[in-house]
Amino acid sequence: MGNERGVILSTKLSNDLGLLGTPIENLEAMTLKDKMHERLAEAGIRHIRGKVVTSIDEAVEFYEAESLKEVVIKPVYSFCSVSVRICPNKQEMIDSLKESFNMTNAYGQKNNELLIQERINGEEYIVNTTSCAGIPRLISMWKYEKVKTSEGAIIYDTISSVQNLNLGEAQIVEYAYDVVRAIGIEYGPVHGEYMIDENGPVLIEVNCRPSGLSMETTYLDRIFGQHDTDSTLDSYLNPERFEEQRKQMYRPPAQGKIKLFIAPEDIFAKSAPMVNMTTNLKSYYSTTLRPINETELFVKTEDLNTTCGVVFLVHENPNYVSEDLEFLRRVERNAFDLILSSEEDENLKIDENEIIEYMENIITTVDKYGNGLVISDQEIKNINILQTNLEGIPGLHGRFDYIILNLNKSLISMRDEEAVKLILKLISFIKVGGIIFIPETTYNYMPGKRKGVEAIIQNLDLKIEAPPFEIKNAVIASKRQ
């Protein structure tokens, strides 16, 4: 049951074959975004005001009759926030409707009908349950963080597991149970999305299937001590175990967070340097990012389907997870080329004489730091420091008090994924407590330039140092004790 089409098929099959399942008469409330709220209204449960419209005139009439301000536009039948728009006023609603009526939903069907709903402002949650003989139990709980684009699209930023319930969050679980029973779920999973505001929780929509994002069972097991598939199978095949699990307290053993990268524009990417950095994160579990063999188009992120990459984080120490998430966000904001690179530096020109003069000044200034090594693409004469190029790296032994990197021709000739991998390797030659100098003659040829190199430094848990007066245009970092 990967999506709502699977829900329809499985529900019909269970009814036709006389198997355990939810009655067929509840199918519309399980899959259509307007019908599920109608069912809540019938049960006297808080719901969102809305109307299915086939024209802009109908939408305007509803908007004015209900004295609405902000509204949400969405297809009646879709998923992953495809074609969902937030409209802060009537004119933006009209403009969005003009666009949306000419689009298709997530299944490729034309939007002949659209649902207009009042906008609920609050915090958004996922509550995943499974039911046995009409009794639901909690499997997992997550909290969304989303951002809104200038075009009004809702974009996922982060999804975080709820490990310890905060103020008001227990009420969401109670409400979720009421929703599941009002929809009429007898057996199986419900992936419910909820909002909580000053009036309490309210349903956004239910998806009567397991959670998405292709989360691995081992990932969910580590966070929650269980996963959707096994828990759902228990509801059908092992009601005794289902009842045992239902009586247990909600005690997730670890913290999980999912970072969804947002492409700010259409990108013809030639490499994904982040694939060589994520494994250094303390809470790293997996990523959907992969090496790019040929130029690949990543379109501007507008919904979950156009997320340009995902990193899954998990750890028993929640501080590690939070630190790693903030690092990924800083990279996304300040050095996006480390996530997806179009390799624009391949056309840069190199002035070797200017570089050598600059490097001579740097080397003279840092000579006082101890036993040093210069790794350089240009030969720098008359210096009393060990000097090598990349070809000489395999012959190096030991560790150095400081290293100066002067790589430009080498970096231009390699893909950014490999350039990041190279810098990560070269840093290993520094002693604990030692220093690395990465001047502009190197960082100008790296993805993200100076901020990109600083991100690589942080990724290896090195400390970025404040530069002394005589050193300029260089990233200085020390290897922690």
mmCIF file of all heavy atoms in Angstrom, residues 139-141 161-165 222-225 249-255:
data_model
loop_
_atom_site.group_PDB
_atom_site.id
_atom_site.type_symbol
_atom_site.label_atom_id
_atom_site.label_comp_id
_atom_site.label_asym_id
_atom_site.label_seq_id
_atom_site.Cartn_x
_atom_site.Cartn_y
_atom_site.Cartn_z
ATOM 1 N N ILE A 139 2.024 3.990 16.873
ATOM 2 C CA ILE A 139 3.276 3.392 16.407
ATOM 3 C C ILE A 139 4.413 4.391 16.524
ATOM 4 O O ILE A 139 5.474 4.102 17.071
ATOM 5 C CB ILE A 139 3.165 2.920 14.939
ATOM 6 C CG1 ILE A 139 2.086 1.864 14.786
ATOM 7 C CG2 ILE A 139 4.515 2.394 14.444
ATOM 8 C CD1 ILE A 139 1.857 1.446 13.340
ATOM 9 N N SER A 140 4.180 5.598 15.995
ATOM 10 C CA SER A 140 5.248 6.601 15.992
ATOM 11 C C SER A 140 4.643 7.981 15.845
ATOM 12 O O SER A 140 3.505 8.143 15.407
ATOM 13 C CB SER A 140 6.240 6.334 14.856
ATOM 14 O OG SER A 140 5.586 6.348 13.593
ATOM 15 N N MET A 141 5.462 8.987 16.190
ATOM 16 C CA MET A 141 5.004 10.370 16.127
ATOM 17 C C MET A 141 6.163 11.241 15.659
ATOM 18 O O MET A 141 7.302 11.091 16.127
ATOM 19 C CB MET A 141 4.515 10.804 17.511
ATOM 20 C CG MET A 141 3.808 12.137 17.557
ATOM 21 S SD MET A 141 3.066 12.374 19.201
ATOM 22 C CE MET A 141 2.365 13.999 19.017
ATOM 23 N N SER A 161 11.484 13.086 14.904
ATOM 24 C CA SER A 161 10.694 12.175 15.729
ATOM 25 C C SER A 161 10.388 12.835 17.067
ATOM 26 O O SER A 161 11.194 13.590 17.607
ATOM 27 C CB SER A 161 11.441 10.861 15.943
ATOM 28 O OG SER A 161 12.595 11.055 16.747
ATOM 29 N N VAL A 162 9.210 12.563 17.589
ATOM 30 C CA VAL A 162 8.842 13.036 18.926
ATOM 31 C C VAL A 162 9.250 11.944 19.901
ATOM 32 O O VAL A 162 8.647 10.864 19.930
ATOM 33 C CB VAL A 162 7.335 13.324 19.020
ATOM 34 C CG1 VAL A 162 6.966 13.723 20.446
ATOM 35 C CG2 VAL A 162 6.937 14.426 18.040
ATOM 36 N N GLN A 163 10.282 12.244 20.686
ATOM 37 C CA GLN A 163 10.811 11.243 21.619
ATOM 38 C C GLN A 163 10.167 11.383 22.993
ATOM 39 O O GLN A 163 9.769 10.398 23.604
ATOM 40 C CB GLN A 163 12.332 11.382 21.719
ATOM 41 C CG GLN A 163 13.007 10.235 22.448
ATOM 42 C CD GLN A 163 14.521 10.313 22.360
ATOM 43 O OE1 GLN A 163 15.088 11.360 22.031
ATOM 44 N NE2 GLN A 163 15.183 9.204 22.648
ATOM 45 N N ASN A 164 10.051 12.613 23.468
ATOM 46 C CA ASN A 164 9.387 12.903 24.736
ATOM 47 C C ASN A 164 8.282 13.913 24.472
ATOM 48 O O ASN A 164 8.535 14.985 23.897
ATOM 49 C CB ASN A 164 10.384 13.461 25.753
ATOM 50 C CG ASN A 164 11.491 12.471 26.079
ATOM 51 O OD1 ASN A 164 11.231 11.384 26.587
ATOM 52 N ND2 ASN A 164 12.728 12.833 25.770
ATOM 53 N N LEU A 165 7.070 13.596 24.870
ATOM 54 C CA LEU A 165 5.932 14.451 24.571
ATOM 55 C C LEU A 165 6.031 15.781 25.306
ATOM 56 O O LEU A 165 6.334 15.826 26.503
ATOM 57 C CB LEU A 165 4.626 13.753 24.936
ATOM 58 C CG LEU A 165 3.992 12.905 23.820
ATOM 59 C CD1 LEU A 165 4.911 11.776 23.410
ATOM 60 C CD2 LEU A 165 2.643 12.358 24.245
ATOM 61 N N ARG A 222 15.316 1.489 15.184
ATOM 62 C CA ARG A 222 16.283 2.128 16.068
ATOM 63 C C ARG A 222 15.667 3.333 16.780
ATOM 64 O O ARG A 222 15.960 3.598 17.943
ATOM 65 C CB ARG A 222 17.512 2.549 15.272
ATOM 66 C CG ARG A 222 18.634 3.049 16.166
ATOM 67 C CD ARG A 222 19.926 3.206 15.430
ATOM 68 N NE ARG A 222 20.882 3.962 16.229
ATOM 69 C CZ ARG A 222 22.009 4.475 15.773
ATOM 70 N NH1 ARG A 222 22.343 4.278 14.503
ATOM 71 N NH2 ARG A 222 22.819 5.164 16.560
ATOM 72 N N ILE A 223 14.790 4.056 16.087
ATOM 73 C CA ILE A 223 14.170 5.243 16.689
ATOM 74 C C ILE A 223 13.055 4.862 17.651
ATOM 75 O O ILE A 223 13.011 5.338 18.792
ATOM 76 C CB ILE A 223 13.608 6.171 15.595
ATOM 77 C CG1 ILE A 223 14.723 6.672 14.675
ATOM 78 C CG2 ILE A 223 12.881 7.355 16.230
ATOM 79 C CD1 ILE A 223 14.217 7.401 13.453
ATOM 80 N N PHE A 224 12.134 3.996 17.179
ATOM 81 C CA PHE A 224 10.908 3.738 17.936
ATOM 82 C C PHE A 224 10.847 2.351 18.585
ATOM 83 O O PHE A 224 9.907 2.073 19.335
ATOM 84 C CB PHE A 224 9.692 3.901 17.018
ATOM 85 C CG PHE A 224 9.538 5.291 16.461
ATOM 86 C CD1 PHE A 224 9.839 5.563 15.136
ATOM 87 C CD2 PHE A 224 9.120 6.334 17.266
ATOM 88 C CE1 PHE A 224 9.709 6.847 14.614
ATOM 89 C CE2 PHE A 224 8.982 7.611 16.762
ATOM 90 C CZ PHE A 224 9.280 7.877 15.433
ATOM 91 N N GLY A 225 11.810 1.481 18.257
ATOM 92 C CA GLY A 225 11.734 0.118 18.778
ATOM 93 C C GLY A 225 10.733 -0.736 18.036
ATOM 94 O O GLY A 225 10.445 -1.870 18.438
ATOM 95 N N MET A 249 4.068 1.657 27.332
ATOM 96 C CA MET A 249 4.225 3.102 27.252
ATOM 97 C C MET A 249 5.043 3.482 26.009
ATOM 98 O O MET A 249 5.861 2.696 25.529
ATOM 99 C CB MET A 249 4.913 3.641 28.508
ATOM 100 C CG MET A 249 4.109 3.467 29.776
ATOM 101 S SD MET A 249 2.564 4.407 29.710
ATOM 102 C CE MET A 249 1.839 3.991 31.307
ATOM 103 N N TYR A 250 4.790 4.681 25.514
ATOM 104 C CA TYR A 250 5.522 5.204 24.352
ATOM 105 C C TYR A 250 6.914 5.630 24.820
ATOM 106 O O TYR A 250 7.055 6.635 25.511
ATOM 107 C CB TYR A 250 4.733 6.374 23.770
ATOM 108 C CG TYR A 250 5.351 7.044 22.559
ATOM 109 C CD1 TYR A 250 5.353 6.418 21.321
ATOM 110 C CD2 TYR A 250 5.890 8.324 22.652
ATOM 111 C CE1 TYR A 250 5.891 7.041 20.206
ATOM 112 C CE2 TYR A 250 6.432 8.962 21.544
ATOM 113 C CZ TYR A 250 6.424 8.314 20.329
ATOM 114 O OH TYR A 250 6.959 8.946 19.213
ATOM 115 N N ARG A 251 7.949 4.831 24.453
ATOM 116 C CA ARG A 251 9.305 5.084 24.918
ATOM 117 C C ARG A 251 10.307 4.932 23.763
ATOM 118 O O ARG A 251 11.077 3.977 23.734
ATOM 119 C CB ARG A 251 9.684 4.104 26.033
ATOM 120 C CG ARG A 251 8.901 4.237 27.329
ATOM 121 C CD ARG A 251 9.375 5.431 28.145
ATOM 122 N NE ARG A 251 8.784 5.426 29.487
ATOM 123 C CZ ARG A 251 7.607 5.941 29.786
ATOM 124 N NH1 ARG A 251 6.871 6.492 28.836
ATOM 125 N NH2 ARG A 251 7.156 5.899 31.031
ATOM 126 N N PRO A 252 10.318 5.831 22.802
ATOM 127 C CA PRO A 252 11.298 5.726 21.706
ATOM 128 C C PRO A 252 12.726 5.756 22.256
ATOM 129 O O PRO A 252 13.079 6.671 23.006
ATOM 130 C CB PRO A 252 11.004 6.951 20.848
ATOM 131 C CG PRO A 252 9.593 7.330 21.175
ATOM 132 C CD PRO A 252 9.428 6.986 22.619
ATOM 133 N N PRO A 253 13.566 4.783 21.899
ATOM 134 C CA PRO A 253 14.922 4.717 22.462
ATOM 135 C C PRO A 253 15.925 5.689 21.862
ATOM 136 O O PRO A 253 16.999 5.884 22.419
ATOM 137 C CB PRO A 253 15.346 3.272 22.182
ATOM 138 C CG PRO A 253 14.536 2.863 20.991
ATOM 139 C CD PRO A 253 13.235 3.579 21.108
ATOM 140 N N ALA A 254 15.603 6.295 20.715
ATOM 141 C CA ALA A 254 16.565 7.192 20.057
ATOM 142 C C ALA A 254 15.833 8.349 19.401
ATOM 143 O O ALA A 254 14.607 8.343 19.263
ATOM 144 C CB ALA A 254 17.396 6.431 19.024
ATOM 145 N N GLN A 255 16.611 9.364 19.008
ATOM 146 C CA GLN A 255 16.073 10.542 18.318
ATOM 147 C C GLN A 255 16.364 10.419 16.825
ATOM 148 O O GLN A 255 17.485 10.086 16.432
ATOM 149 C CB GLN A 255 16.727 11.807 18.852
ATOM 150 C CG GLN A 255 16.350 13.090 18.106
ATOM 151 C CD GLN A 255 14.942 13.552 18.412
ATOM 152 O OE1 GLN A 255 14.607 13.831 19.538
ATOM 153 N NE2 GLN A 255 14.098 13.616 17.402
#
